[in-house]
């Protein structure tokens, strides 16, 4: 079933409340996906400090001091390691590709679940609301956040298999539904050199979108191309540093609702996740139309 929530803030005075608001939204979706959860936060000064690149990983090991020292030597700049069990967040004032390469070399068995200059991705198994509180999400700030509660259908319940799938720089994708031809699309992408971390059908969609963006396609067109190539039932929320996008399958099988005000754009699988947002009684509320791509920019 799965539950999606996302919040794109237009009003800077709300930035300090991003984590608080997103946690409240996520809490309303727990029964849609109680086995695991993940979230992506854009612009938090602790997890993604200005002028730094961040990499989120699973399976980094327990010695944060040793890891920080090793990576500092590797990149030639001070590296900070933050523990948000089972996720480890690593950041340094170096280009993203430099930090990413060093993390891959130092932690070859770890799974990279997010990277970029603005985004931090956190994943885990168990009750989504408990995970969010354990990560410290309620106190996070920033301009944009996405979260997902998972009810696994296409692959095993693991932290790596939870959403979002963040496989491009400052990009993430969350998904309610299933892609019926994902194995065909996966083989096609693999033939072009794309490497996968899981058996999850959502990762195939995320890799497809990331490939389009890396080739210069804009987000709206990338999602239109996905709709042309992927079969199945889905609602997708895709975010980048400057964009927030929603799209549904041709018959809009999976639920979605959007609330838009001068202060924010919010999306969720059900209205109850939006009901506690400030000014919701004045919001323009609507269900996204089938196949139409909705994109909001920062």
């Amino acid at each position: 079933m799965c539950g999606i929530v996302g919040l794109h803030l237009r009003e800077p005075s709300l930035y300090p409340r991003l984590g608080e608001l997103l946690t409240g939204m996520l809490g309303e979706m727990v029964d849609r996906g109680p086995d695991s959860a993940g979230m992506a936060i854009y612009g938090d000064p602790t997890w993604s400090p200005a002028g730094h690149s961040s990499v989120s990983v699973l399976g980094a090991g327990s010695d944060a001091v040793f890891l920080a020292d090793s990576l500092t030597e590797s990149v030639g700049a001070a590296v900070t390691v933050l523990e948000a069990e089972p996720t480890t967040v690593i950041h340094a004032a170096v280009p993203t590709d430099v930090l990413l390469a060093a993390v891959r070399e130092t932690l070859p068995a770890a799974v990279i679940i997010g990277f970029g200059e603005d985004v931090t991705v956190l994943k885990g198994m168990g009750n989504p609301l408990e995970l969010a509180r354990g990560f410290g999400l309620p106190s996070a700030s920033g301009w944009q956040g996405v979260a997902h509660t998972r009810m696994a259908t296409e692959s095993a319940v693991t932290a790596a298999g939870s959403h979002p799938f963040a496989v491009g720089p400052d990009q993430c994708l969350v998904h309610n539904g299933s892609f019926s031809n994902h194995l065909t699309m996966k083989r096609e992408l693999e033939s072009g050199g794309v490497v996968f971390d899981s058996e999850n059908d959502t990762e195939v969609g995320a890799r497809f979108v990331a490939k389009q963006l890396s080739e210069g396609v804009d987000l709206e067109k990338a999602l239109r191309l996905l709709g042309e190539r992927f079969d199945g039932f889905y609602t997708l929320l895709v975010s980048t540093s400057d964009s927030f996008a929603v799209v549904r399958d041709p018959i809009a099988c999976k639920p979605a609702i959007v609330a838009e005000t001068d202060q924010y754009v919010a999306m969720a699988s059900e209205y109850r996740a939006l009901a506690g947002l400030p000014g919701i009684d004045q919001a323009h509320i609507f269900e996204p139309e089938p196949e139409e791509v909705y994109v909001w920019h920062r």
Side-chain angles (χ1 to χ4, degrees):
M1 186 162 56
C2 300
I4 296 173
V5 296
L7 187 57
H8 171 84
L9 296 177
R10 293 166 160 169
E11 172 52 58
S13 67
L14 286 177
Y15 290 2
R17 297 186 61 194
L18 175 67
E20 168 207 339
L21 296 172
L22 196 66
T23 300
M25 295 171 70
L26 180 67
E28 295 296 330
M29 294 291 98
V30 169
D31 60 350
R32 293 188 62 89
D35 52 28
S36 60
M39 51 219 67
I41 299 296
Y42 289 81
D44 182 82
T46 298
W47 288 332
S48 300
H52 289 60
S53 298
S54 295
V55 178
S56 299
V57 301
L58 294 170
S62 58
D63 194 337
V65 174
F66 177 78
L67 177 58
D69 290 344
S70 298
L71 288 170
T72 295
E73 182 176 353
S74 180
V75 304
V79 173
T80 301
V81 175
L82 304 176
E83 296 289 359
E85 183 65 29
T87 302
T88 299
V89 180
I90 302 163
H91 56 75
V94 298
T96 300
D97 58 346
V98 172
L99 183 59
L100 193 58
V103 171
R104 284 175 170 153
E105 181 178 359
T106 305
L107 299 171
V111 178
I112 293 170
I113 59 171
F115 58 95
E117 296 180 356
D118 296 314
V119 72
T120 297
V121 177
L122 307 165
K123 295 187 180 186
M125 293 186 294
N127 180 279
L129 193 54
E130 292 177 5
L131 285 170
R133 290 169 176 160
F135 291 151
L137 180 63
S139 61
S141 62
W143 66 80
Q144 186 166 267
V146 173
H148 185 272
T149 63
R150 184 175 183 227
M151 182 175 288
T153 57
E154 297 293 332
S155 59
V157 179
T158 64
S162 60
H163 305 198
F165 279 90
V167 299
D170 288 312
Q171 301 164 22
C172 75
L173 179 150
V174 295
H175 175 202
N176 176 23
S178 63
F179 296 125
S180 57
N181 66 333
H182 68 282
L183 292 178
T184 299
M185 294 304 303
K186 183 179 182 181
R187 287 191 292 269
E188 179 181 313
L189 290 166
E190 286 177 327
S191 70
V194 176
V195 177
F196 287 80
D197 295 322
S198 75
E199 299 301 317
N200 193 295
D201 64 320
T202 303
E203 185 184 358
V204 183
R207 296 280 178 190
F208 179 87
V209 171
K211 185 174 187 296
Q212 302 302 316
L213 295 177
S214 72
E215 294 173 353
V217 174
D218 66 32
L219 183 56
E220 181 175 355
K221 185 175 180 180
L223 291 176
R224 292 192 186 283
L225 289 170
L226 181 145
E228 293 172 6
R229 301 296 310 281
F230 282 71
D231 298 327
F233 304 121
Y234 55 84
T235 291
L236 303 177
L237 173 57
V238 183
S239 62
T240 68
S241 287
D242 62 3
S243 301
F244 184 87
V246 177
V247 65
R248 302 170 81 187
D249 66 73
I251 62 172
C253 180
K254 295 298 180 179
I257 190 162
V258 173
E260 184 172 6
T261 75
D262 291 341
Q263 294 187 313
Y264 59 79
V265 178
M267 179 270 175
S269 296
E270 298 182 42
Y271 173 77
R272 58 190 165 121
L274 307 177
L277 293 175
I280 192 65
D281 56 331
Q282 303 298 318
H284 171 51
I285 299 173
F286 63 95
E287 291 188 29
E289 294 293 330
E291 290 189 292
E292 184 168 345
V293 179
Y294 299 80
V295 184
W296 295 269
H297 298 287
R298 188 178 178 212

